[in-house]
Amino acid sequence: PENEEMIYAVRSNNLATAIITTVIAGKIHKEWSPTLVLSNMQTYAQWAPFYRYYYYNNNASYISINYTALNYNCVRYNLVEYYQSSKRFDRYVASRLTSKLTKLEREELERYLNKRFSGNISMFKDGDWYANNKSLSKQLSFDPNKRNILLPANVFWDKGINEKSGLFNNVLEWIMSTIHIVKRSAECHLYIKIHPAEQYFSSKTEKGVADYILEEFKQLPSNVTLIYPEQKISPYEIFNYVDVGVVFGGTLGLEMMLNQLPVIVAGSAPYKHLN
């Protein structure tokens, strides 16, 4: 928001929360000496102090349990481990009787992927994110003679995503840098897909990624196209028209690879260390 007093109040309240939860974590440890700590997540002022306090204290195990918006019937344990290294996956593979998927596992995986590619995931349907676009190629004017690049933008303010940075400090820095690089290459065209959650989810914001881009570039480079949530274009429909994907992290990068698209990971993703 433009209101500086409102910004100051939000920042002050979050800072106060972080300080309070840090003090509480210290008191709990001193008085109770817990051996196990369960939490919902590792980021934001309400949770991060507990995670940081016990992550660096070897006397207690820290376990996060949260749900995934991709499947409301599933829970995830220690999500941060997915991004820190591939050791968790290696341990899982070593614990199996076979390193290959069984017939049942492959069928289950294919059903899940088909649900995603067809837009039948709970979060997609609840938010009414996508619609069938029969004239997609005309709508986005793909030039087959150019190297077309798809950049699916993350929700920029998500602290959890920004903490998994790699080449860049945060999502906005990554997007701006990518535009600056591509605008000098006339043989390339960059398609930036704004995350639909900016418009159709509880994370709807007054100022989104597109606003920051247009603020940085008063005139958008001719070889850069913004795809807005209101267009209801599924990223899976774009796969057949692009040559490479650029991601900060997230499942889309893995799905691009499954569709034979090369992927550049600028942040951190569970799959970037896997062969």
Side-chain angles (χ1 to χ4, degrees):
E2 301 296 334
N3 188 325
E4 292 187 6
E5 290 185 4
M6 184 184 296
I7 295 174
Y8 178 79
V10 171
R11 286 180 173 168
S12 298
N13 288 338
N14 276 279
L15 178 59
T17 300
I19 293 172
I20 292 169
T21 48
T22 300
V23 172
I24 291 172
K27 288 180 67 68
I28 289 175
H29 182 71
K30 183 178 179 180
E31 296 180 13
W32 293 352
S33 298
T35 56
L36 181 66
V37 179
L38 302 177
S39 182
N40 178 247
M41 64 167 61
Q42 298 88 13
T43 52
Y44 303 113
Q46 301 96 317
W47 299 281
F50 290 101
Y51 168 67
R52 292 176 180 273
Y53 189 96
Y54 282 100
Y55 181 80
Y56 296 107
N57 189 315
N58 295 323
N59 294 328
S61 297
Y62 185 99
I63 297 178
S64 68
I65 304 175
N66 55 24
Y67 87 108
T68 166
L70 302 179
N71 186 339
Y72 298 152
N73 297 315
C74 289
V75 293
R76 298 180 292 188
Y77 294 91
N78 294 344
L79 180 61
V80 72
E81 285 185 355
Y82 297 165
Y83 297 90
Q84 291 175 334
S85 71
S86 61
K87 291 181 179 178
R88 175 168 173 158
F89 180 76
D90 293 336
R91 290 197 305 268
Y92 166 67
V93 173
S95 70
R96 292 172 53 91
L97 296 177
T98 172
S99 60
K100 294 183 178 181
L101 294 178
T102 65
K103 182 176 182 293
L104 185 63
E105 289 171 331
R106 183 173 293 279
E107 290 173 351
E108 184 178 355
L109 177 60
E110 288 178 354
R111 281 197 300 271
Y112 175 72
L113 290 173
N114 287 335
K115 285 181 66 176
R116 282 187 65 89
F117 295 152
S118 62
N120 286 321
I121 294 295
S122 303
M123 180 172 60
F124 300 168
K125 293 193 294 184
D126 290 351
D128 191 24
W129 284 9
Y130 308 130
N132 292 325
N133 291 274
K134 296 181 180 179
S135 60
L136 180 66
S137 59
K138 294 181 180 179
Q139 189 176 347
L140 296 179
S141 302
F142 293 102
D143 185 347
N145 297 315
K146 288 194 173 186
R147 188 162 178 79
N148 295 306
I149 305 165
L150 173 61
L151 185 156
N154 301 79
V155 179
F156 74 92
W157 52 259
D158 192 329
K159 181 64 176 171
I161 292 174
N162 288 328
E163 284 187 347
K164 301 175 183 67
S165 58
L167 293 172
F168 306 97
N169 291 320
N170 54 60
V171 167
L172 285 177
E173 183 182 305
W174 159 60
I175 293 173
M176 302 305 175
S177 298
T178 304
I179 296 174
H180 279 293
I181 294 170
V182 170
K183 74 176 185 179
R184 300 193 296 267
S185 302
E187 70 276 12
C188 295
H189 196 106
L190 177 65
Y191 293 87
I192 301 176
K193 189 177 186 312
I194 307 302
H195 201 293
E198 283 193 6
Q199 181 67 30
Y200 299 114
F201 211 54
S202 58
S203 53
K204 180 177 179 179
T205 56
E206 292 185 19
K207 186 173 182 178
V209 167
D211 298 305
Y212 282 98
I213 292 174
L214 296 175
E215 199 173 80
E216 171 82 9
F217 300 89
K218 303 306 179 185
Q219 184 173 354
L220 202 63
S222 59
N223 62 340
V224 176
T225 299
L226 299 182
I227 304 174
Y228 292 90
E230 292 84 352
Q231 293 176 266
K232 293 187 178 294
I233 294 175
S234 166
Y236 308 116
E237 295 180 299
I238 305 175
F239 286 1
N240 291 331
Y241 298 97
V242 296
D243 304 289
V244 63
V246 182
V247 301
F248 198 79
T251 313
L252 265 176
L254 180 60
E255 291 168 331
M256 288 181 193
M257 289 189 286
L258 288 173
N259 282 270
Q260 310 305 313
L261 272 178
V263 175
I264 299 170
V265 182
S268 184
Y271 46 82
K272 76 173 186 177
H273 294 301
L274 303 178
N275 295 322

